[in-house]
Every structure is written in structure tokens, then in C-alpha cells.
Amino acid sequence: MKTVNVTAARNDIYNIINQTIVSSEPVQITSKNGDVIMLSLKDWEAIQETLNLVSIPGMKESILEGKKEAVEDCETLEDIGWNLK
């Protein structure tokens, strides 16, 4: 994770924002009052979705079990009655 002090961040905020969006690498911004982490909105939303999913009872275990199943053994959307058209 890249670390910059608040003065450097203030002087180069446009480039730091663009780099964070492109690289998906968080940036730690330090100050005498404490530190913050800058993330892209896309990465923040992904973190929130992950936290939401693992908060559902049994979901974590279900995902881990699903990872063990070969793709060719999985049911298709049509098999389970989902029509996305």
C-alpha cells in the first residue's frame, strides 16, 4: 500500500485519485491527527458487498463448498429456471 503525507496528497490529489482508481491499490494518507485510507469507489463497493454476503448465516460455508465443485458439474441458469432474457 502506498503511503503519502497529507501535504503531498494535497499537492498531488488529482494524480493520487487517478492512480488509485486505475491500480485498485489503496493509499494511506498520514497526518499528525491520524491516518486515512483512500480507496476507489469500485473497491469500496466490493468490500461492502463481501461484508454483506458473509454476514448472511451459512453463506460463507456455502461459498466455500461451491468452490470445491467443478464448473462442469454446476447447474446452468436454465437448469434452475432463471431466464435472464
Side-chain angles (χ1 to χ4, degrees), residues 12-40:
D12 198 28
I13 193 69
Y14 180 79
N15 288 325
I16 293 170
I17 289 170
N18 283 336
Q19 184 179 8
T20 302
I21 292 167
V22 170
S23 71
S24 286
E25 180 183 4
V27 176
Q28 179 180 2
I29 302 173
T30 61
S31 77
K32 62 183 175 187
N33 295 325
D35 299 353
V36 297
I37 302 296
M38 180 189 297
L39 299 170
S40 72

Side-chain angles (χ1 to χ4, degrees), residues 1 6-7 9-10 14 21-22 26 39 54 69 72 76 80 84:
M1 174 175 9
V6 69
T7 302
R10 189 181 307 118
Y14 180 79
I21 292 167
V22 170
L39 299 170
V54 298
E69 189 171 344
E72 54 272 4
T76 66
I80 60 174
L84 298 179

Side-chain angles (χ1 to χ4, degrees), residues 25-74:
E25 180 183 4
V27 176
Q28 179 180 2
I29 302 173
T30 61
S31 77
K32 62 183 175 187
N33 295 325
D35 299 353
V36 297
I37 302 296
M38 180 189 297
L39 299 170
S40 72
L41 179 60
K42 181 181 104 183
D43 292 333
W44 175 249
E45 289 172 341
I47 290 167
Q48 293 300 303
E49 182 65 21
T50 299
L51 291 172
N52 180 52
L53 288 173
V54 298
S55 73
I56 300 169
M59 181 62 76
K60 179 180 173 185
E61 294 78 10
S62 177
I63 292 170
L64 292 173
E65 280 298 310
K67 285 178 62 174
K68 296 177 187 175
E69 189 171 344
V71 172
E72 54 272 4
D73 295 336
C74 293

